[in-house]
Amino acid sequence: MKYIISWVLRFIPRKFIQLFAHRLIKIYSIFLTGNKVYCPVCDHSFRHFLPYGRLTPRENALCPSCLSLERHRLMYLYLKNETSFFTEKPKLLHIAPEYCFIERFEKHLGDQYITADIESPLAKVKMDLHDIPFEDNTFDAVFCNHVLEHVNDDVRCMQEIRRVLKPTGFALCQSPQRYDLATTYEDASITDPREREIHFLQDDHLRIYGRDYGTQLEKSGFTVEPINLIEKLGLSESQRMALPLEEIIYVCRK
């Protein structure tokens, strides 16, 4: 299964994966009945999660019910445990919306929920992140996960997110990181798609952030609060939900 998923991720256009993958995977989920792992997003348990990844698929990563990955489950738990997101109805801009969240957020927020992306068929608003088409101080929350590594000018995009965020709001802008790198790595001279996969994890990534990612976010004017939710949840519970044990949540505010 992991080789099939790896091939699909590398060679099938993302828009087709976003439209059709969930139907096939949900059918396969009937073969994973069990209670060894638990997904807090959809409240389902399984014998194990599915593998996920391009060059080296991660074992026990993808929930076959809602298609949440490790980072999605971590973010969901942060919103549920550490914020008033689910007890209030904030106005949310969700950039490059993830399938596992769309229906749940839309049901909770209604018209307060706006999805946007430059190409995703799941988003309602077509938008270039370098020039967000909303007025200053519009949103209580902005979610922009695994996007900034794709854009030409990441600082400009961060500034745009900050601009449309209310002074009392917060943004979650998670991105892939290599914790063995002290600083963010970019090299425009690497143009071969397969080489870019090796250096930047995907052929359409323009950079890979290092341990300085929080500092990179601060360059746009954000005040950044790093949150280690794994420490709060404990190792055993984090492993049961297959959370990313190294990932820090960067809560960005004006």
Side-chain angles (χ1 to χ4, degrees):
M1 175 59 73
K2 68 180 180 181
Y3 299 110
I4 294 174
I5 292 175
S6 174
W7 185 89
V8 168
L9 291 173
R10 295 180 71 197
F11 299 111
I12 301 297
R14 185 176 300 147
K15 64 181 180 179
F16 296 121
I17 297 174
Q18 290 173 319
L19 286 172
F20 302 113
H22 62 281
R23 299 175 185 176
L24 298 175
I25 290 176
K26 282 188 177 182
I27 294 172
Y28 185 76
S29 70
I30 63 176
F31 299 103
L32 298 176
T33 302
N35 59 8
K36 189 173 181 179
V37 296
Y38 170 69
C39 176
V41 179
C42 63
D43 193 29
H44 281 75
S45 297
F46 300 95
R47 188 168 71 253
H48 58 78
F49 293 131
L50 292 170
Y52 190 87
R54 292 177 179 248
L55 292 179
T56 307
R58 307 182 303 277
E59 298 289 350
N60 203 35
L62 179 69
C63 172
S65 174
C66 69
L67 271 62
S68 72
L69 291 167
E70 305 98 321
R71 63 179 185 267
H72 303 138
R73 295 188 286 274
L74 185 71
M75 175 177 155
Y76 186 87
L77 288 167
Y78 170 76
L79 293 173
K80 181 180 177 182
N81 297 349
E82 305 291 326
T83 77
S84 59
F85 182 85
F86 288 111
T87 56
E88 299 179 357
K89 292 186 179 293
K91 187 166 186 178
L92 170 63
L93 175 62
H94 194 174
I95 301 161
E98 298 96 337
Y99 174 81
C100 62
F101 292 140
I102 293 175
E103 185 176 337
R104 290 165 178 82
F105 289 175
E106 199 159 53
K107 182 178 180 180
H108 173 54
L109 299 175
D111 293 340
Q112 293 283 90
Y113 181 48
I114 297 174
T115 56
D117 192 73
I118 197 167
E119 64 176 18
S120 172
L122 304 179
K124 294 180 179 178
V125 176
K126 185 175 178 61
M127 183 189 83
D128 184 340
L129 188 55
H130 294 83
D131 188 18
I132 298 178
F134 295 102
E135 295 182 358
D136 298 2
N137 307 316
T138 297
F139 297 97
D140 299 295
V142 179
F143 299 161
C144 179
N145 297 308
H146 284 231
V147 174
L148 293 171
E149 66 275 14
H150 294 269
V151 301
N152 290 325
D153 188 339
D154 58 341
V155 173
R156 166 66 185 270
C157 292
M158 294 171 191
Q159 290 171 337
E160 278 292 278
I161 292 171
R162 183 180 182 276
R163 179 182 64 79
V164 300
L165 192 66
K166 292 180 181 179
T168 56
F170 72 98
L172 298 181
C173 303
Q174 299 298 103
S175 286
Q177 284 181 264
R178 275 184 53 184
Y179 296 96
D180 62 320
L181 293 178
T183 59
T184 295
Y185 170 46
E186 300 182 62
D187 187 344
S189 69
I190 303 173
T191 58
D192 179 78
R194 300 288 78 86
E195 284 295 312
R196 294 197 67 80
E197 277 189 326
I198 294 170
H199 285 263
F200 305 112
L201 303 182
Q202 288 183 203
D203 59 7
D204 56 351
H205 285 184
L206 301 184
R207 62 191 58 84
I208 181 71
Y209 292 103
R211 297 192 301 274
D212 64 334
Y213 182 50
T215 303
Q216 296 293 100
L217 290 164
E218 288 175 341
K219 287 182 180 179
S220 66
F222 278 124
T223 297
V224 179
E225 179 187 6
I227 302 290
N228 189 333
L229 197 62
I230 300 300
E231 285 187 353
K232 296 185 177 185
L233 293 169
L235 182 60
S236 177
E237 190 69 359
S238 298
Q239 290 176 330
R240 185 173 76 95
M241 293 183 281
L243 303 179
L245 300 182
E246 290 187 310
E247 183 158 337
I248 301 296
I249 296 175
Y250 299 95
V251 184
C252 303
R253 296 185 175 89
K254 281 192 170 182

